[in-house]
Amino acid sequence: MLAALAAGTAGLLAFHRAVPNSVGRTGSLLEAFLPWLGLMVVVLLVPALLRRSATALVALLLPVAAWAYLFGGLLLPEAKPGAHDLLVVQHNVSDENTDPAGTARALAGAGPDLIAVEELVPSALPVYEKTFAPDFPYRAVRGTVGLWSKHPLTGVRPLDIKPRGITQTWNRGLRTVVHTPHGEIAVYVAHLPSVRVRAGGLASSWRDESAGLLGKAVAAEKLAAVILLGDLNGTVDDRGLAPLTAQMNVAERGLAFSFPAAFPLARIDQVMARSATVGHIRALPATGSDHLPVAARITPG
């Protein structure tokens, strides 16, 4: 039985895409917490040792190998920063944040080139503008998302990523061009709809539809270099984000679980890039938000 459970765990890790999404989006639900399947090794190891089962212990090598193949590279040390690297910070600052000034200081204190925020409410906007202004003179705000930059911005426009079922005012995406010393980069900031775990499974249809619209916008982008920053309400393993992950690079190092801030279980705050490498991503200390900020180093080219 222990050997069978170990083999089953390895199968879920290695072939998670084979788990159907037709009922309750079971596949996406599994993929949202896929790294945590590794805990099954610990759970099964104890009884295997107590029973002195050589078969079970050998079988446990299967999920260990599968987990290491999928996630082991994320635990490797960060590569040495390059001279042309950009440091970016992504944060859902929360529309219920009671300390926007402290949050802004924490984000600026990471020393990034770009800061992207979501759930930016009108009452907090002046606070962020005042705090960021000395080091980030260029900014773009559309609806509830914003970008602050050390480098000039042009071509700011909103992104239409609103699902058809949402009828109220909803503006949660923008696109702009950042003029870095080493070339132009199209930067997208987006906040995809939330998902909910219910008795019937994972409710993610709006998130999936919005991800599809965002994926089409990125695919149509004429500039070669693209950076996507946002609260995408999904992990990079979640097939709901396939319209994005199929055409963009994700972080090569770091787990950076970002939500919920009190006990982070998944990274739903993402940094992706096209014609660039997302080297290392890490979670920053908690702010007044229910998300943790994440910082990533991007190497153009």
Side-chain angles (χ1 to χ4, degrees):
M1 178 63 71
L2 292 174
L5 289 172
T9 301
L12 286 175
L13 283 164
F15 304 107
H16 57 92
R17 294 294 188 197
V19 176
N21 227 18
S22 53
V23 179
R25 285 180 163 76
T26 307
S28 281
L29 183 59
L30 168 67
E31 289 157 351
F33 303 102
L34 198 61
W36 293 99
L37 269 183
L39 291 178
M40 281 297 295
V41 174
V42 179
V43 172
L44 296 175
L45 179 62
V46 174
L49 291 173
L50 292 175
R51 296 169 68 93
R52 298 181 181 180
S53 171
T55 302
L57 290 172
V58 171
L60 281 173
L61 294 176
L62 294 174
V64 169
W67 194 95
Y69 175 78
L70 290 173
F71 305 112
L74 299 176
L75 304 181
L76 295 175
E78 179 182 2
K80 184 179 180 180
H84 303 329
D85 286 0
L86 292 174
L87 183 63
V88 301
V89 165
Q90 148 60 31
H91 192 28
N92 179 325
V93 296
S94 175
D95 54 9
E96 298 180 351
N97 192 330
T98 58
D99 184 23
T103 298
R105 288 193 298 269
L107 300 182
D113 296 276
L114 303 173
I115 298 175
V117 300
E118 299 81 42
E119 294 198 12
L120 186 62
V121 295
S123 59
L125 177 57
V127 178
Y128 287 102
E129 289 181 323
K130 180 179 179 180
T131 307
F132 288 150
D135 296 317
F136 304 91
Y138 308 100
R139 64 101 166 166
V141 175
R142 292 294 183 273
T144 57
V145 300
L147 179 74
W148 275 262
S149 172
K150 289 185 175 180
H151 311 294
L153 304 177
T154 60
V156 181
R157 59 176 173 81
L159 285 175
D160 184 9
I161 56 172
K162 183 170 77 170
R164 288 167 293 181
I166 296 179
T167 57
Q168 66 267 37
T169 301
W170 197 92
N171 191 347
R172 289 166 46 165
L174 69 81
R175 179 264 188 194
T176 187
V177 177
V178 180
H179 297 264
T180 77
H182 310 292
E184 296 181 346
I185 301 176
V187 176
Y188 289 69
V189 182
H191 184 191
L192 301 189
S194 299
V195 300
R196 295 288 184 269
V197 179
R198 298 172 178 165
L202 187 71
S204 65
S205 58
W206 281 356
R207 190 278 312 271
D208 296 349
E209 182 181 349
S210 191
L213 294 171
L214 181 56
K216 290 179 180 178
V218 171
E221 174 59 53
K222 294 181 179 180
L223 284 179
V226 178
I227 295 174
L228 169 61
L229 307 165
D231 173 3
L232 304 187
N233 273 302
T235 68
V236 295
D237 300 300
D238 187 337
R239 70 193 67 179
L241 298 188
L244 299 166
T245 55
Q247 60 177 317
M248 306 194 78
N249 299 320
V250 299
E252 297 179 344
R253 301 284 187 272
L255 289 170
F257 294 154
S258 64
F259 184 83
F263 189 79
L265 294 172
R267 187 177 81 240
I268 62 175
D269 296 273
Q270 304 297 350
V271 177
M272 301 182 188
R274 188 180 77 188
S275 296
T277 301
V278 185
H280 182 267
I281 190 168
R282 71 185 192 277
L284 299 177
T287 67
S289 172
D290 55 344
H291 292 239
L292 294 179
V294 297
R297 193 167 294 280
I298 297 177
T299 304

